[in-house]
Amino acid sequence: MALKNVIGIDHAVVVVRDLDRAAENWKRLGFTVSPRGTHSAKMGSGNTTIMLDPDYIELLGVLVETEHNAPTRAFLAKRGEGIERIAFTAVDSAAGAEEIRSRGYEPVGPVDFERPVTMPDGSLSAAKFRIFQWPIAEAPGGLRIFACQHKTREAVWIPELMKHANGAKRLKQALVVSPEAAKDATHLARMIDRDVRSESDGAVAVPSGSDRADFIFLTKDQLIRRYPDVPLAGLPERGGAGLVLATSDLAAAQKAVGSAGIRSGDAVCVAPAAANGTLLAFVKA
């Protein structure tokens, strides 16, 4: 049976070395980027978000070295910038943690945390979350996964932050490269109680649940064949590689990303080197 308290991809976490510089970079690609938020002293991190519907992208940076952010620092040291983890939406994190425990995965958490938010009218609010993680060693395709329960959605999905010059509306696919794509896809499917689906080019899809984005596991060669016109230098042999985004207007996406845009088939793409280690592919919604 599918997990009852985990309902599909919530957001993708792109780890960056310099948070402010990364935010400016994504603004140049036509995204509306939230003001910088600062997490608790224990977490030692900060973020900005790119809000979509019903999901989003988080740019995450380490502000102070702590025990909690050691895995993120290790990721940056080994891989460099890019997609470090994917979050699922948790209806109830405590119940979700017990669900994965019953399936043999010892959860990390749940843990509560929050970050201050300045609302559009200037008032101060807080974005509050309760998260739990699958065991850190369980990282299919080198991708860590966790689940996030939003306790104050109104402080995260702010309408003014959800309009983007590039027309981005939602995540459609999370691309994960692996020399053993089928094996890693099966690993993830087992962790979240989902089925796998073969793609026409041999890649393997894992639906994340509900109407949310799919995971696509594929080899580096398969990724190159999907986006033959896009320079993919800097991507790992195994790990989170890119995001496919549905846009309301492909021409607007092409215009917004400017000189960074590369037309490849039916997609407008941005090479990983121009998007903090993350391949972006805009497709018509």
Side-chain angles (χ1 to χ4, degrees), residues 169-182:
K169 292 298 182 185
R170 63 187 295 270
L171 297 176
K172 188 169 183 178
Q173 296 176 341
L175 305 175
V176 187
V177 293
S178 169
E180 300 179 295

Side-chain angles (χ1 to χ4, degrees), residues 41-239:
K42 176 184 177 180
M43 296 183 75
S45 55
N47 75 344
T48 61
T49 59
I50 295 161
M51 301 309 304
L52 307 169
D53 184 13
D55 40 39
Y56 64 100
I57 301 166
E58 177 182 9
L59 306 180
L60 180 75
V62 173
L63 305 180
V64 179
E65 293 187 2
T66 69
E67 181 181 352
H68 183 87
N69 61 45
T72 300
R73 288 185 281 115
F75 175 91
L76 273 172
K78 182 178 180 180
R79 147 114 191 234
E81 297 182 312
I83 301 171
E84 183 205 18
R85 336 166 220 163
I86 297 284
F88 293 81
T89 299
V91 178
D92 182 317
S93 279
E98 289 308 311
E99 279 191 284
I100 70 166
R101 192 193 308 277
S102 71
R103 288 159 170 78
Y105 299 103
E106 189 61 31
V108 180
V111 175
D112 291 286
F113 71 98
E114 63 183 72
R115 57 178 170 82
V117 174
T118 301
M119 301 297 285
D121 64 1
S123 63
L124 288 178
S125 184
K128 300 181 180 182
F129 314 90
R130 174 172 290 172
I131 68 170
F132 72 90
Q133 300 180 61
W134 280 256
I136 291 174
E138 300 278 354
L143 192 70
R144 292 168 57 198
I145 64 171
F146 68 106
C148 179
Q149 177 185 349
H150 292 272
K151 297 195 285 186
T152 52
R153 294 184 66 86
E154 70 283 355
V156 180
W157 276 271
I158 298 171
E160 288 85 347
L161 297 179
M162 298 171 66
K163 300 170 185 175
H164 306 281
N166 56 34
K169 292 298 182 185
R170 63 187 295 270
L171 297 176
K172 188 169 183 178
Q173 296 176 341
L175 305 175
V176 187
V177 293
S178 169
E180 300 179 295
K183 179 180 177 181
D184 282 325
T186 300
H187 183 186
L188 174 64
R190 186 170 61 249
M191 292 173 70
I192 63 172
D193 266 352
R194 298 286 172 186
D195 295 323
V196 299
R197 182 183 71 239
S198 295
E199 301 272 284
S200 59
D201 61 355
V204 183
V206 181
S208 71
S210 186
D211 60 347
R212 305 298 178 87
D214 292 341
F215 290 89
I216 305 293
F217 287 81
L218 68 180
T219 66
K220 197 85 167 281
D221 286 344
Q222 287 168 333
L223 185 65
I224 290 169
R225 288 196 293 271
R226 283 197 175 195
Y227 302 102
D229 305 308
V230 184
L232 298 178
L235 287 183
E237 292 300 317
R238 186 170 184 260

